Amino acid sequence: MSDGSTWMPEAIAWRPIVEADFALLSDWLTRPHVHRYWNHDFTPEGVSRDFGPGTRGEEAGEDLLVSVDGVPEALVQRSRIEDYAEDFSELGAIVDVPAGAVTIDYFVADPAHTGRGLGTAVIRAIVADTWSSYPDCPAIIVPVVAGNTASWRALERAGFRRVGEGDMEPENPIDPPLHVISRIVRPEARA
């Protein structure tokens, strides 16, 4: 798969992160292409602090370990926007955020697997699942720091449309606040 061709995975599956995954997450978060936009503390203590509440059901959102063809390859976070008041307020100042709307965040762990369509395939799979797992979700809205071109282009390839741009607090303080906001609506709502 190092020939630069598009990766067409046969099976994409996910499950909630468990404490046994923390060492893997720590490793992934140290990788430069991940750490650049996921500016998390990757120490064992930091990973436990950031991801532990989700494993114990103390967090409204989901932390999902994504496997591709049986191999752990990515992380996806998924949550209702309204469950996080600060995010809801910040995003709602830029675009309309309907009740029940969901957001996602994601990364592909192996740099050798980026830029070949895997992120787009994972996003498409999570979007399809979101319509059934969140039956009252009218739309998925995703803010991406404007400089992370690969991320917002993956969203576009997965069917999202840009609906706005505006300033939001960046994950990494080295980034300017400008974010690109993309949305995909529930298929029945498009008809």
Side-chain angles (χ1 to χ4, degrees), residues 66-95:
V66 180
S67 294
V68 178
D69 299 335
V71 178
E73 293 283 355
L75 176 72
V76 171
Q77 292 182 318
R78 177 170 62 179
S79 63
R80 289 188 189 279
I81 299 167
E82 63 205 28
D83 287 341
Y84 296 88
E86 187 176 312
D87 295 342
F88 181 82
S89 175
E90 197 172 27
L91 191 54
I94 302 168
V95 298

PDB file of all heavy atoms in Angstrom, residues 66-95:
ATOM      1  N   VAL A  66     -11.178   2.825  15.778  1.00  0.00           N
ATOM      2  CA  VAL A  66     -11.609   2.353  14.466  1.00  0.00           C
ATOM      3  C   VAL A  66     -10.591   1.352  13.928  1.00  0.00           C
ATOM      4  O   VAL A  66      -9.392   1.635  13.868  1.00  0.00           O
ATOM      5  CB  VAL A  66     -11.764   3.525  13.477  1.00  0.00           C
ATOM      6  CG1 VAL A  66     -12.211   3.019  12.111  1.00  0.00           C
ATOM      7  CG2 VAL A  66     -12.747   4.551  14.024  1.00  0.00           C
ATOM      8  N   SER A  67     -11.085   0.191  13.542  1.00  0.00           N
ATOM      9  CA  SER A  67     -10.246  -0.828  12.912  1.00  0.00           C
ATOM     10  C   SER A  67     -10.619  -0.933  11.443  1.00  0.00           C
ATOM     11  O   SER A  67     -11.796  -0.850  11.079  1.00  0.00           O
ATOM     12  CB  SER A  67     -10.432  -2.192  13.587  1.00  0.00           C
ATOM     13  OG  SER A  67      -9.951  -2.142  14.907  1.00  0.00           O
ATOM     14  N   VAL A  68      -9.604  -1.097  10.638  1.00  0.00           N
ATOM     15  CA  VAL A  68      -9.792  -1.237   9.200  1.00  0.00           C
ATOM     16  C   VAL A  68      -9.221  -2.589   8.804  1.00  0.00           C
ATOM     17  O   VAL A  68      -8.052  -2.872   9.073  1.00  0.00           O
ATOM     18  CB  VAL A  68      -9.092  -0.088   8.443  1.00  0.00           C
ATOM     19  CG1 VAL A  68      -9.250  -0.256   6.948  1.00  0.00           C
ATOM     20  CG2 VAL A  68      -9.648   1.258   8.902  1.00  0.00           C
ATOM     21  N   ASP A  69     -10.079  -3.407   8.228  1.00  0.00           N
ATOM     22  CA  ASP A  69      -9.695  -4.771   7.881  1.00  0.00           C
ATOM     23  C   ASP A  69      -9.053  -5.478   9.077  1.00  0.00           C
ATOM     24  O   ASP A  69      -8.079  -6.193   8.957  1.00  0.00           O
ATOM     25  CB  ASP A  69      -8.773  -4.773   6.652  1.00  0.00           C
ATOM     26  CG  ASP A  69      -9.456  -4.180   5.421  1.00  0.00           C
ATOM     27  OD1 ASP A  69     -10.705  -4.210   5.353  1.00  0.00           O
ATOM     28  OD2 ASP A  69      -8.748  -3.672   4.537  1.00  0.00           O
ATOM     29  N   GLY A  70      -9.625  -5.222  10.272  1.00  0.00           N
ATOM     30  CA  GLY A  70      -9.200  -5.902  11.495  1.00  0.00           C
ATOM     31  C   GLY A  70      -8.034  -5.275  12.229  1.00  0.00           C
ATOM     32  O   GLY A  70      -7.628  -5.779  13.277  1.00  0.00           O
ATOM     33  N   VAL A  71      -7.468  -4.182  11.724  1.00  0.00           N
ATOM     34  CA  VAL A  71      -6.288  -3.560  12.330  1.00  0.00           C
ATOM     35  C   VAL A  71      -6.663  -2.169  12.853  1.00  0.00           C
ATOM     36  O   VAL A  71      -7.228  -1.366  12.103  1.00  0.00           O
ATOM     37  CB  VAL A  71      -5.142  -3.436  11.294  1.00  0.00           C
ATOM     38  CG1 VAL A  71      -3.929  -2.745  11.891  1.00  0.00           C
ATOM     39  CG2 VAL A  71      -4.772  -4.810  10.742  1.00  0.00           C
ATOM     40  N   PRO A  72      -6.349  -1.847  14.120  1.00  0.00           N
ATOM     41  CA  PRO A  72      -6.623  -0.502  14.629  1.00  0.00           C
ATOM     42  C   PRO A  72      -5.886   0.541  13.785  1.00  0.00           C
ATOM     43  O   PRO A  72      -4.671   0.447  13.593  1.00  0.00           O
ATOM     44  CB  PRO A  72      -6.089  -0.533  16.056  1.00  0.00           C
ATOM     45  CG  PRO A  72      -6.089  -1.976  16.440  1.00  0.00           C
ATOM     46  CD  PRO A  72      -5.773  -2.716  15.165  1.00  0.00           C
ATOM     47  N   GLU A  73      -6.654   1.510  13.265  1.00  0.00           N
ATOM     48  CA  GLU A  73      -6.064   2.490  12.339  1.00  0.00           C
ATOM     49  C   GLU A  73      -6.420   3.932  12.645  1.00  0.00           C
ATOM     50  O   GLU A  73      -5.776   4.838  12.125  1.00  0.00           O
ATOM     51  CB  GLU A  73      -6.529   2.207  10.898  1.00  0.00           C
ATOM     52  CG  GLU A  73      -6.030   0.927  10.307  1.00  0.00           C
ATOM     53  CD  GLU A  73      -4.582   0.984   9.843  1.00  0.00           C
ATOM     54  OE1 GLU A  73      -3.967   2.066   9.900  1.00  0.00           O
ATOM     55  OE2 GLU A  73      -4.070  -0.064   9.435  1.00  0.00           O
ATOM     56  N   ALA A  74      -7.464   4.185  13.452  1.00  0.00           N
ATOM     57  CA  ALA A  74      -7.931   5.559  13.591  1.00  0.00           C
ATOM     58  C   ALA A  74      -8.693   5.736  14.903  1.00  0.00           C
ATOM     59  O   ALA A  74      -9.095   4.766  15.545  1.00  0.00           O
ATOM     60  CB  ALA A  74      -8.841   5.923  12.414  1.00  0.00           C
ATOM     61  N   LEU A  75      -8.882   6.998  15.231  1.00  0.00           N
ATOM     62  CA  LEU A  75      -9.718   7.376  16.361  1.00  0.00           C
ATOM     63  C   LEU A  75     -10.795   8.313  15.840  1.00  0.00           C
ATOM     64  O   LEU A  75     -10.516   9.187  15.010  1.00  0.00           O
ATOM     65  CB  LEU A  75      -8.896   8.105  17.427  1.00  0.00           C
ATOM     66  CG  LEU A  75      -9.708   8.635  18.610  1.00  0.00           C
ATOM     67  CD1 LEU A  75     -10.169   7.499  19.510  1.00  0.00           C
ATOM     68  CD2 LEU A  75      -8.913   9.649  19.404  1.00  0.00           C
ATOM     69  N   VAL A  76     -12.015   8.118  16.319  1.00  0.00           N
ATOM     70  CA  VAL A  76     -13.112   9.039  16.025  1.00  0.00           C
ATOM     71  C   VAL A  76     -13.759   9.402  17.353  1.00  0.00           C
ATOM     72  O   VAL A  76     -14.011   8.530  18.191  1.00  0.00           O
ATOM     73  CB  VAL A  76     -14.165   8.415  15.080  1.00  0.00           C
ATOM     74  CG1 VAL A  76     -15.391   9.312  14.975  1.00  0.00           C
ATOM     75  CG2 VAL A  76     -13.581   8.156  13.704  1.00  0.00           C
ATOM     76  N   GLN A  77     -14.022  10.691  17.528  1.00  0.00           N
ATOM     77  CA  GLN A  77     -14.827  11.154  18.639  1.00  0.00           C
ATOM     78  C   GLN A  77     -16.143  11.640  18.059  1.00  0.00           C
ATOM     79  O   GLN A  77     -16.155  12.297  17.013  1.00  0.00           O
ATOM     80  CB  GLN A  77     -14.131  12.279  19.394  1.00  0.00           C
ATOM     81  CG  GLN A  77     -12.893  11.796  20.122  1.00  0.00           C
ATOM     82  CD  GLN A  77     -12.215  12.902  20.905  1.00  0.00           C
ATOM     83  OE1 GLN A  77     -12.090  14.026  20.444  1.00  0.00           O
ATOM     84  NE2 GLN A  77     -11.776  12.566  22.117  1.00  0.00           N
ATOM     85  N   ARG A  78     -17.236  11.293  18.739  1.00  0.00           N
ATOM     86  CA  ARG A  78     -18.556  11.666  18.240  1.00  0.00           C
ATOM     87  C   ARG A  78     -19.401  12.107  19.428  1.00  0.00           C
ATOM     88  O   ARG A  78     -19.416  11.446  20.469  1.00  0.00           O
ATOM     89  CB  ARG A  78     -19.187  10.476  17.523  1.00  0.00           C
ATOM     90  CG  ARG A  78     -20.585  10.702  17.016  1.00  0.00           C
ATOM     91  CD  ARG A  78     -21.072   9.593  16.126  1.00  0.00           C
ATOM     92  NE  ARG A  78     -21.138   8.298  16.798  1.00  0.00           N
ATOM     93  CZ  ARG A  78     -21.562   7.172  16.211  1.00  0.00           C
ATOM     94  NH1 ARG A  78     -21.949   7.186  14.939  1.00  0.00           N
ATOM     95  NH2 ARG A  78     -21.598   6.034  16.870  1.00  0.00           N
ATOM     96  N   SER A  79     -20.125  13.211  19.250  1.00  0.00           N
ATOM     97  CA  SER A  79     -20.975  13.704  20.333  1.00  0.00           C
ATOM     98  C   SER A  79     -22.059  14.619  19.786  1.00  0.00           C
ATOM     99  O   SER A  79     -21.942  15.151  18.678  1.00  0.00           O
ATOM    100  CB  SER A  79     -20.138  14.476  21.358  1.00  0.00           C
ATOM    101  OG  SER A  79     -19.558  15.623  20.763  1.00  0.00           O
ATOM    102  N   ARG A  80     -23.101  14.764  20.583  1.00  0.00           N
ATOM    103  CA  ARG A  80     -24.114  15.775  20.280  1.00  0.00           C
ATOM    104  C   ARG A  80     -23.499  17.127  20.645  1.00  0.00           C
ATOM    105  O   ARG A  80     -22.939  17.293  21.735  1.00  0.00           O
ATOM    106  CB  ARG A  80     -25.374  15.558  21.103  1.00  0.00           C
ATOM    107  CG  ARG A  80     -26.147  14.344  20.675  1.00  0.00           C
ATOM    108  CD  ARG A  80     -27.491  14.319  21.403  1.00  0.00           C
ATOM    109  NE  ARG A  80     -28.144  13.056  21.168  1.00  0.00           N
ATOM    110  CZ  ARG A  80     -28.838  12.755  20.074  1.00  0.00           C
ATOM    111  NH1 ARG A  80     -28.946  13.644  19.113  1.00  0.00           N
ATOM    112  NH2 ARG A  80     -29.402  11.583  19.939  1.00  0.00           N
ATOM    113  N   ILE A  81     -23.628  18.081  19.761  1.00  0.00           N
ATOM    114  CA  ILE A  81     -23.021  19.390  19.986  1.00  0.00           C
ATOM    115  C   ILE A  81     -23.605  20.050  21.232  1.00  0.00           C
ATOM    116  O   ILE A  81     -22.876  20.636  22.037  1.00  0.00           O
ATOM    117  CB  ILE A  81     -23.176  20.276  18.735  1.00  0.00           C
ATOM    118  CG1 ILE A  81     -22.473  19.612  17.537  1.00  0.00           C
ATOM    119  CG2 ILE A  81     -22.618  21.675  18.989  1.00  0.00           C
ATOM    120  CD1 ILE A  81     -22.811  20.215  16.189  1.00  0.00           C
ATOM    121  N   GLU A  82     -24.896  19.917  21.444  1.00  0.00           N
ATOM    122  CA  GLU A  82     -25.543  20.575  22.578  1.00  0.00           C
ATOM    123  C   GLU A  82     -25.103  20.014  23.928  1.00  0.00           C
ATOM    124  O   GLU A  82     -25.322  20.649  24.968  1.00  0.00           O
ATOM    125  CB  GLU A  82     -27.071  20.481  22.452  1.00  0.00           C
ATOM    126  CG  GLU A  82     -27.583  19.070  22.487  1.00  0.00           C
ATOM    127  CD  GLU A  82     -28.929  18.904  21.796  1.00  0.00           C
ATOM    128  OE1 GLU A  82     -29.244  19.660  20.871  1.00  0.00           O
ATOM    129  OE2 GLU A  82     -29.656  17.981  22.196  1.00  0.00           O
ATOM    130  N   ASP A  83     -24.463  18.846  23.949  1.00  0.00           N
ATOM    131  CA  ASP A  83     -23.974  18.275  25.205  1.00  0.00           C
ATOM    132  C   ASP A  83     -22.735  18.993  25.725  1.00  0.00           C
ATOM    133  O   ASP A  83     -22.302  18.740  26.857  1.00  0.00           O
ATOM    134  CB  ASP A  83     -23.671  16.783  25.043  1.00  0.00           C
ATOM    135  CG  ASP A  83     -24.939  15.954  24.955  1.00  0.00           C
ATOM    136  OD1 ASP A  83     -26.012  16.442  25.361  1.00  0.00           O
ATOM    137  OD2 ASP A  83     -24.851  14.806  24.453  1.00  0.00           O
ATOM    138  N   TYR A  84     -22.156  19.859  24.921  1.00  0.00           N
ATOM    139  CA  TYR A  84     -20.968  20.615  25.301  1.00  0.00           C
ATOM    140  C   TYR A  84     -21.281  22.099  25.067  1.00  0.00           C
ATOM    141  O   TYR A  84     -21.116  22.614  23.959  1.00  0.00           O
ATOM    142  CB  TYR A  84     -19.755  20.141  24.490  1.00  0.00           C
ATOM    143  CG  TYR A  84     -19.413  18.705  24.805  1.00  0.00           C
ATOM    144  CD1 TYR A  84     -20.006  17.649  24.106  1.00  0.00           C
ATOM    145  CD2 TYR A  84     -18.528  18.397  25.831  1.00  0.00           C
ATOM    146  CE1 TYR A  84     -19.717  16.330  24.420  1.00  0.00           C
ATOM    147  CE2 TYR A  84     -18.237  17.074  26.151  1.00  0.00           C
ATOM    148  CZ  TYR A  84     -18.831  16.053  25.448  1.00  0.00           C
ATOM    149  OH  TYR A  84     -18.550  14.746  25.764  1.00  0.00           O
ATOM    150  N   ALA A  85     -21.753  22.772  26.128  1.00  0.00           N
ATOM    151  CA  ALA A  85     -22.296  24.127  26.023  1.00  0.00           C
ATOM    152  C   ALA A  85     -21.330  25.108  25.370  1.00  0.00           C
ATOM    153  O   ALA A  85     -21.734  25.917  24.528  1.00  0.00           O
ATOM    154  CB  ALA A  85     -22.700  24.629  27.410  1.00  0.00           C
ATOM    155  N   GLU A  86     -20.065  25.045  25.724  1.00  0.00           N
ATOM    156  CA  GLU A  86     -19.098  25.986  25.157  1.00  0.00           C
ATOM    157  C   GLU A  86     -18.948  25.770  23.653  1.00  0.00           C
ATOM    158  O   GLU A  86     -18.927  26.733  22.875  1.00  0.00           O
ATOM    159  CB  GLU A  86     -17.746  25.832  25.857  1.00  0.00           C
ATOM    160  CG  GLU A  86     -16.740  26.873  25.444  1.00  0.00           C
ATOM    161  CD  GLU A  86     -15.452  26.752  26.234  1.00  0.00           C
ATOM    162  OE1 GLU A  86     -15.512  26.647  27.478  1.00  0.00           O
ATOM    163  OE2 GLU A  86     -14.385  26.779  25.594  1.00  0.00           O
ATOM    164  N   ASP A  87     -18.856  24.514  23.221  1.00  0.00           N
ATOM    165  CA  ASP A  87     -18.746  24.211  21.786  1.00  0.00           C
ATOM    166  C   ASP A  87     -20.014  24.637  21.049  1.00  0.00           C
ATOM    167  O   ASP A  87     -19.950  25.191  19.957  1.00  0.00           O
ATOM    168  CB  ASP A  87     -18.506  22.712  21.564  1.00  0.00           C
ATOM    169  CG  ASP A  87     -17.170  22.246  22.122  1.00  0.00           C
ATOM    170  OD1 ASP A  87     -16.291  23.088  22.363  1.00  0.00           O
ATOM    171  OD2 ASP A  87     -17.026  21.027  22.321  1.00  0.00           O
ATOM    172  N   PHE A  88     -21.172  24.374  21.670  1.00  0.00           N
ATOM    173  CA  PHE A  88     -22.449  24.743  21.064  1.00  0.00           C
ATOM    174  C   PHE A  88     -22.516  26.254  20.844  1.00  0.00           C
ATOM    175  O   PHE A  88     -22.898  26.733  19.775  1.00  0.00           O
ATOM    176  CB  PHE A  88     -23.607  24.266  21.942  1.00  0.00           C
ATOM    177  CG  PHE A  88     -24.959  24.570  21.384  1.00  0.00           C
ATOM    178  CD1 PHE A  88     -25.523  23.741  20.421  1.00  0.00           C
ATOM    179  CD2 PHE A  88     -25.672  25.681  21.808  1.00  0.00           C
ATOM    180  CE1 PHE A  88     -26.780  24.018  19.896  1.00  0.00           C
ATOM    181  CE2 PHE A  88     -26.930  25.964  21.290  1.00  0.00           C
ATOM    182  CZ  PHE A  88     -27.479  25.131  20.331  1.00  0.00           C
ATOM    183  N   SER A  89     -22.136  27.006  21.854  1.00  0.00           N
ATOM    184  CA  SER A  89     -22.176  28.465  21.774  1.00  0.00           C
ATOM    185  C   SER A  89     -21.205  28.986  20.721  1.00  0.00           C
ATOM    186  O   SER A  89     -21.557  29.853  19.910  1.00  0.00           O
ATOM    187  CB  SER A  89     -21.838  29.050  23.152  1.00  0.00           C
ATOM    188  OG  SER A  89     -21.764  30.441  23.084  1.00  0.00           O
ATOM    189  N   GLU A  90     -19.996  28.468  20.729  1.00  0.00           N
ATOM    190  CA  GLU A  90     -18.966  28.925  19.784  1.00  0.00           C
ATOM    191  C   GLU A  90     -19.365  28.605  18.341  1.00  0.00           C
ATOM    192  O   GLU A  90     -19.274  29.456  17.464  1.00  0.00           O
ATOM    193  CB  GLU A  90     -17.640  28.257  20.157  1.00  0.00           C
ATOM    194  CG  GLU A  90     -16.439  28.901  19.558  1.00  0.00           C
ATOM    195  CD  GLU A  90     -15.141  28.327  20.099  1.00  0.00           C
ATOM    196  OE1 GLU A  90     -15.099  27.144  20.538  1.00  0.00           O
ATOM    197  OE2 GLU A  90     -14.148  29.059  20.047  1.00  0.00           O
ATOM    198  N   LEU A  91     -19.814  27.388  18.103  1.00  0.00           N
ATOM    199  CA  LEU A  91     -20.214  26.975  16.758  1.00  0.00           C
ATOM    200  C   LEU A  91     -21.509  27.679  16.336  1.00  0.00           C
ATOM    201  O   LEU A  91     -21.637  28.128  15.192  1.00  0.00           O
ATOM    202  CB  LEU A  91     -20.392  25.455  16.723  1.00  0.00           C
ATOM    203  CG  LEU A  91     -20.559  24.787  15.382  1.00  0.00           C
ATOM    204  CD1 LEU A  91     -19.429  25.131  14.426  1.00  0.00           C
ATOM    205  CD2 LEU A  91     -20.645  23.269  15.562  1.00  0.00           C
ATOM    206  N   GLY A  92     -22.448  27.814  17.272  1.00  0.00           N
ATOM    207  CA  GLY A  92     -23.712  28.465  16.977  1.00  0.00           C
ATOM    208  C   GLY A  92     -23.578  29.938  16.636  1.00  0.00           C
ATOM    209  O   GLY A  92     -24.473  30.516  16.021  1.00  0.00           O
ATOM    210  N   ALA A  93     -22.477  30.551  17.013  1.00  0.00           N
ATOM    211  CA  ALA A  93     -22.234  31.948  16.646  1.00  0.00           C
ATOM    212  C   ALA A  93     -21.863  32.077  15.167  1.00  0.00           C
ATOM    213  O   ALA A  93     -21.911  33.173  14.612  1.00  0.00           O
ATOM    214  CB  ALA A  93     -21.134  32.534  17.526  1.00  0.00           C
ATOM    215  N   ILE A  94     -21.518  30.956  14.538  1.00  0.00           N
ATOM    216  CA  ILE A  94     -21.077  30.984  13.132  1.00  0.00           C
ATOM    217  C   ILE A  94     -22.129  30.405  12.198  1.00  0.00           C
ATOM    218  O   ILE A  94     -22.392  30.951  11.126  1.00  0.00           O
ATOM    219  CB  ILE A  94     -19.753  30.205  12.973  1.00  0.00           C
ATOM    220  CG1 ILE A  94     -18.669  30.801  13.879  1.00  0.00           C
ATOM    221  CG2 ILE A  94     -19.289  30.203  11.520  1.00  0.00           C
ATOM    222  CD1 ILE A  94     -17.431  29.943  14.017  1.00  0.00           C
ATOM    223  N   VAL A  95     -22.727  29.269  12.598  1.00  0.00           N
ATOM    224  CA  VAL A  95     -23.715  28.590  11.753  1.00  0.00           C
ATOM    225  C   VAL A  95     -24.896  28.151  12.616  1.00  0.00           C
ATOM    226  O   VAL A  95     -24.786  28.052  13.832  1.00  0.00           O
ATOM    227  CB  VAL A  95     -23.125  27.355  11.019  1.00  0.00           C
ATOM    228  CG1 VAL A  95     -21.998  27.748  10.078  1.00  0.00           C
ATOM    229  CG2 VAL A  95     -22.663  26.291  12.000  1.00  0.00           C
TER     230      VAL A  95
END
